[in-house]
Amino acid sequence: MEIDMNNKEERVLVTGGTGFIAQYCILALLNRGYHVRTTVRSLTREAEVRDNLKAGGAEPGDRLSFFTADLTADEGWAEAAAGCIYVIHGASPTPTGNQTSEEEWIQPAVDGNLRVLRAARNAGVRRVVLTSAFGAICAGHGQMKRPFNETDWSDLTSKNVWPYQKSKTLSERAAWEFVAGEGQGLELSAINPVTVLGPVLGADYSHSIRLIKNIMDGQPGIPRINSGFVDVRDVADLHLRAMTHEAAKGERFLAIAGESMWLAEVAKVLKQRMGLAADKVSTRVLPNAMVRLGALKDPALRGAVPLLGLNLNATSEKAMRLLSWSPRSREEAIVATAESLVRHGLLSDAN
């Protein structure tokens, strides 16, 4: 791995070092010569993170250091941010269980963002890059006649907004309000990725990867759902561009590769490109009525119902124009994901 040593004295904090996007941001930063700090809720996860980074081609040694910090508490954040010139904040608390209330999603996300921003401001950090989500842009709008862009915000008055989308929307808005009112010169940029795919680094992978795993493992049909896709390596690259580029100050950037796709098109890509590994892939589109009926008994399907037939196309024209961002194709992201699942032995035994 070639290292750019021009940045050898600059320290960057990446929050939530166990996360998929965070680990690729760490890899990209190390590759550019930065010293990196990352936060974990428990230092028992350090070995796992280092193993994943090694799988990604990096053995940083003392160029990477770990700090214990939790988004639900103040302890540790001042120490983690001290001496850093930039912060990439991707950590987000995720409640577990099917019956979690909106408050269990929203307040920790809002408070977590504010905790990190306060620590960054107090430490004299130049800029924070916030990993937000497409969920802060697309929810509650129904069928759009144009691609979503960075001027769009999720409509929280709609009944079809999930707690996760509401938490991402309110926590991003809180971040912008904090920087405007209390930032004292702290700069902020936000990245809003669509469904993030790409090579997994180990057995603990993100929720979005399950979409490809489920198709590869032979789920019995494909709901008529549309999504944008982007490779995690390009999401990390966009974070670093937003971190240092003057044009990124005070801006949000939507990350999508090309146009959105129907999941049946994703299945066809896998069928065409993955050979025998895709022998269980079904390209059969399930009727909407069947999905609605199944959702009455299966909680996992309930979230799909409001998305049936909804085109969620979006554009990354702004990131390409202002930051010269050039992502891999959506097909490359899909295939790289599937290939990594095969490589790590993460598909069902029959594959």
Side-chain angles (χ1 to χ4, degrees), residues 16-185:
T18 57
F20 186 47
I21 295 173
Q23 289 178 6
Y24 271 95
C25 286
I26 293 171
L27 286 169
L29 288 163
L30 291 169
N31 191 36
R32 286 163 174 78
Y34 290 99
H35 280 255
V36 182
R37 293 178 176 179
T38 191
T39 59
V40 287
R41 281 179 289 182
S42 169
L43 289 178
T44 60
R45 303 289 299 273
E46 177 176 347
E48 171 199 330
V49 173
R50 287 190 180 274
D51 284 346
N52 286 355
L53 296 175
K54 185 176 180 180
E59 294 189 68
D62 62 4
R63 290 178 55 238
L64 173 66
S65 51
F66 288 75
F67 289 74
T68 303
D70 191 311
L71 289 172
T72 62
D74 290 334
E75 291 77 20
W77 290 109
E79 293 81 1
C84 292
I85 191 168
Y86 303 113
V87 173
I88 292 177
H89 175 40
S92 182
T94 304
T96 56
N98 293 326
Q99 305 305 317
T100 49
S101 68
E102 280 195 356
E103 196 61 20
E104 288 176 285
W105 279 94
I106 294 166
Q107 206 55 51
V110 171
D111 291 347
N113 275 4
L114 296 180
R115 252 185 201 98
V116 172
L117 288 167
R118 283 192 202 99
R121 177 199 63 192
N122 294 345
V125 166
R126 181 182 303 167
R127 183 178 296 177
V128 173
V129 180
L130 172 68
T131 309
S132 186
F134 188 49
I137 287 177
C138 68
H141 290 288
Q143 197 71 263
M144 290 279 278
K145 295 181 180 179
R146 59 161 177 82
F148 284 99
N149 62 50
E150 292 83 357
T151 66
D152 296 311
W153 284 88
S154 291
D155 180 3
L156 302 187
T157 64
S158 169
K159 64 179 181 180
N160 288 328
V161 180
W162 308 332
Y164 167 78
Q165 295 167 324
K166 191 170 285 190
S167 75
K168 282 297 187 182
T169 305
L170 292 175
S171 60
E172 188 190 337
R173 283 198 180 277
W176 288 115
E177 289 167 8
F178 174 86
V179 167
E182 304 175 50
Q184 298 174 13

Side-chain angles (χ1 to χ4, degrees), residues 197-215:
L197 301 180
V200 301
L201 297 171
D204 184 12
Y205 46 83
S206 72
H207 180 76
S208 58
I209 300 294
R210 294 186 183 278
L211 180 72
I212 303 300
K213 175 173 163 53
N214 290 344
I215 294 174

